Amino acid sequence: MPGKIQVARQLLGRPLTLTEKILYSHLDKPATSAYERGKAYVDFRPDRVAMQDATAQMALLQFMTCGRDKVAVPSTVHCDHLIQAKVEAGKDLQIAVDSNKEVYDFLSSVSNRYGLGFWKAGAGIIHQVVLENYAFPGGMMIGTDSHTPNAGGLGMIAIGVGGADACDVMAGLPWELKMPKLIGVHLTGKLNGWATPKDIILWVAGKLTVKGGTGAIVEYFGEGAANISCTGKGTIGNMGAEIGATTSTFGYDESMERYLRATGREAIADLANGIKEHLTGDAEVYANPSAYFDQVIELDLSTLEPYINGPFTPDLATPISKMKAAAAANGWPTNVEVGLIGSCTNSSYEDISRAANLAEQAVAKNLKAKASYTITPGSELVRYTIERDGYIDTFGKIGGTVFANACGPCIGMWAREGADKKEKNTIIHSFNRNFAARQDGNPNTYAFVGSPEIVTALAIAGDLTFNPLTDTLTNEAGEQVKLDPPSGFELPPRGFDVEDAGFQSPAEDGSGVEVVVSPDSQRLQLLEAFPAWEGTDLKGLKLLIKAKGKCTTDHISMAGPWLKFRGHLDNISNNMLIGATNFFNEKTNSVKNQLTGEYAGVPDVQRAYKAQGIGSIVVGDENYGEGSSREHAAMEPRHLGVRVVLVKSFARIHETNLKKQGMLGVTFANNEDYDKIQEDDTFDVLGLTTFAPGVPLTVVAHHKDGSKDEITVNHTYNDQQIEWFKAGSCLNVIRKEFGVA
């Protein structure tokens, strides 16, 4: 790595940021000149791939078709998404193991066959397990989950991608990324009192919004960064996905060394110490950051107060001192019904120990939690250790319920009693996302995001407007008591411990392992290649939906109960765009079928068009496809015959996923043209026969009254991505390269 960095420094002719050091040392081929940020497409060679069980199914179904006998880089599968939180960890895990046996057996056998490490159900959440076992300073990895940047807490460039990207890397091909812009966040001072690393990213999200980091890597630096624990850095990197950032990272420091040694990776710590000057940005960069970053943000941690973000979006940031006024002004329900801590974002030993300290205070001060309270450990390593150290018993004293080591409520895998009544209510959690209906399926649940400490305090108070920094509570004896600022441990004083971490090594030789997929399965379906482009402009496309407002991948392909179909493309396609709001009637899952004039569900109308051989177009708003990396949001429209997605702007991962699946994703050159789209429109897309990088296309909207609008649309396809479009998908190109028919 030092040698590659020296070459890059000479090439750029200046000092380097940490981000540039890692990117330029992972190039597929040596560069001959500097790559222009935000414009140049660059091929990289990541060090490893990680996949969670919901996305791994489709990624590995694709990999199975490409003609390789073994993955080309270290790769792992983590069973964390398919476990529903309902009663408590033991019962919920057993139900998941029984009900998902077919999928788990498939993932286990395909991992054995192709040389992937397999983490069983209950082992933990992918990002926590990666941080504990695989992340390392200066490395590059990709993962089929948008919160892969959690590994930035250990100084990696870790990027969330779709399954087709993972398939490329596992097949031994380079991985393409547009050279990111750089945002520097200069942290000074030190957190104190109730402020936590979570509050840093909540503050940054309020500053940059859900799209402010799009196309950029965020690099944190300064004395304030060095004062944050490694797992705290992971929390910040994790939730950087909520500002649209490609990833976030930190320079190697003593907190990372401590964490590596605590998790049994002394050899990696020793290696990192040997080249530590190469595992952070050059001193000149941090002395004059505005000369090296595209944007610089300053934050004095000693002035930071806790934040609560939401509802319905993770970037609506309110300092806790202003929450009472904000709730009154907006009519937010203030009775907190449930407080939930843990998840991939905030389930470290440090997080749990500080929350447990507040629970201990509540018991000592004769307080009872007024809200329900749940704990989701991030891994079996953490769960076993906190049980050994008495924290689970402590949570039990205030009525806490421990869920399985899995994503659970964070991704909608929460069987919340009464949620089907759709009543207006408030919850607060330490997760990363709080889109409408995401956690419990109820669009009237006002979900707020805070640190585990603030979530615990508000669960004890039962009140969204309670400020533990200043307010008192009435205890069981009628006395006024105040919670002290929480304290805890960065790492377990007695070390981590675990009996069975839940890991399965792959077979030495997997060639004899049979991977079985029943043709009658409702959970798994072998893939058929998507058809190649017909070689002509697209004519006569029907409008499927004009989506209004926020349209995340949750809206395009819901999780929750639909997760069980993640390995069956046709079945899961029945959730396509059912959460998107139709501009013309303000309803979800209700669009006009132009063949009959009647309104029906989005997948039903699209299947009707497909049966008649008619293509369609989806029109969307700003930051279309933000949120989860799930490539199903691109594969379902492709499978059902949608040809074009036309929006004001795309979220990065979703735009890439569309390209990988052979879809045409384009943006309005003039955003006001969105208003010209009418409900009964039929479309032509012109210019495809001369499709070229940087050359706009024309979409002709034919209106019902016989008039038409010619709309100029832009695209970001390069030559390679145009080949994907022409071939029908990136995977079709890979198959051809490996001689697979």
Side-chain angles (χ1 to χ4, degrees), residues 486-548:
S487 61
F489 300 95
E490 176 185 354
L491 295 162
R494 296 165 55 197
F496 284 108
D497 201 2
V498 70
E499 282 186 350
D500 178 8
F503 178 68
Q504 170 189 293
S505 297
E508 288 272 341
D509 178 6
S511 59
V513 176
E514 185 179 9
V515 180
V516 178
V517 175
S518 167
D520 301 322
S521 173
Q522 294 301 301
R523 299 288 301 270
L524 298 164
Q525 181 186 47
L526 295 175
L527 294 176
E528 295 182 4
F530 289 134
W533 172 57
E534 51 269 71
T536 62
D537 288 335
L538 303 180
K539 300 285 184 73
L541 305 180
K542 298 295 186 185
L543 177 69
L544 177 60
I545 186 172
K546 179 179 176 179
K548 180 180 180 181

Side-chain angles (χ1 to χ4, degrees), residues 222-475:
E223 59 161 342
N227 289 329
I228 303 168
S229 68
C230 178
T231 52
K233 292 178 174 75
T235 291
I236 294 167
N238 181 302
M239 203 174 159
E242 273 51 73
I243 58 172
T246 302
T247 192
S248 305
T249 196
F250 291 79
Y252 178 68
D253 61 20
E254 291 179 1
S255 74
M256 296 184 191
E257 179 183 357
R258 290 192 296 271
Y259 187 75
L260 285 168
R261 295 191 188 282
T263 51
R265 291 173 286 172
E266 295 85 353
I268 293 176
D270 291 341
L271 283 170
N273 285 343
I275 62 163
K276 63 169 58 173
E277 72 272 20
H278 300 292
L279 298 175
T280 189
D282 289 336
E284 300 94 327
V285 169
Y286 295 153
N288 184 23
S290 60
Y292 301 95
F293 292 97
D294 298 289
Q295 181 181 356
V296 178
I297 298 171
E298 302 273 350
L299 175 60
D300 180 356
L301 299 185
S302 62
T303 67
L304 185 66
E305 68 174 297
Y307 270 73
I308 297 174
N309 286 24
F312 306 128
T313 184
D315 61 342
L316 181 56
T318 304
I320 197 162
S321 61
K322 302 240 177 15
M323 178 49 78
K324 190 169 187 176
N330 291 286
W332 297 334
T334 58
N335 179 49
V336 175
E337 294 199 4
V338 191
L340 308 98
I341 68 166
S343 86
C344 69
T345 329
N346 277 109
S347 56
S348 67
Y349 188 89
E350 181 178 40
D351 292 326
I352 299 296
S353 68
R354 285 170 60 89
N357 173 260
L358 290 169
E360 289 168 357
Q361 289 188 47
V363 173
K365 296 179 183 191
N366 202 14
L367 291 166
K368 291 245 177 88
K370 292 185 177 172
S372 298
Y373 185 65
T374 72
I375 304 95
T376 302
S379 70
E380 179 59 13
L381 183 73
V382 166
R383 190 213 62 79
Y384 188 93
T385 305
I386 65 171
E387 182 178 44
R388 179 202 68 188
D389 292 350
Y391 294 143
I392 287 180
D393 287 340
T394 298
F395 290 133
K397 292 174 183 175
I398 63 167
T401 298
V402 178
F403 286 143
N405 313 323
C407 301
C410 182
I411 60 163
M413 289 296 280
W414 181 23
R416 185 184 179 191
E417 190 174 345
D420 56 326
K421 296 176 184 175
K422 309 292 187 203
E423 292 174 343
K424 189 174 179 180
N425 75 102
T426 284
I427 65 173
I428 183 166
H429 58 63
S430 68
F431 309 157
N432 37 45
R433 291 194 175 131
N434 58 340
F435 303 138
R438 179 175 172 91
Q439 268 74 53
D440 62 1
N442 178 3
N444 298 313
T445 291
Y446 286 61
F448 294 86
V449 184
S451 68
E453 295 90 330
I454 290 298
V455 170
T456 304
L458 268 58
I460 293 168
D463 185 356
L464 183 67
T465 67
F466 173 65
N467 182 354
L469 285 72
T470 58
D471 298 348
T472 59
L473 294 168
T474 305
N475 70 6

Side-chain angles (χ1 to χ4, degrees), residues 551-628:
C551 192
T552 71
T553 50
D554 275 311
H555 296 90
I556 305 168
S557 176
M558 288 183 175
W562 291 94
L563 283 173
K564 62 179 174 283
F565 297 125
R566 283 286 181 88
H568 197 295
L569 182 55
D570 194 58
N571 282 346
I572 200 169
S573 293
N574 289 322
N575 79 359
M576 185 190 72
L577 284 158
I578 64 175
T581 299
N582 181 0
F583 179 91
F584 299 106
N585 61 8
E586 301 281 336
K587 295 181 179 179
T588 58
N589 203 28
S590 175
V591 295
K592 190 172 185 179
N593 181 336
Q594 292 191 39
L595 302 178
T596 65
E598 298 175 350
Y599 286 83
V602 185
D604 300 321
V605 171
Q606 183 53 41
R607 287 186 186 276
Y609 291 156
K610 183 178 182 180
Q612 297 294 321
I614 298 169
S616 66
I617 184 170
V618 169
V619 175
D621 215 317
E622 295 278 10
N623 208 28
Y624 183 88
E626 74 171 276
S628 170

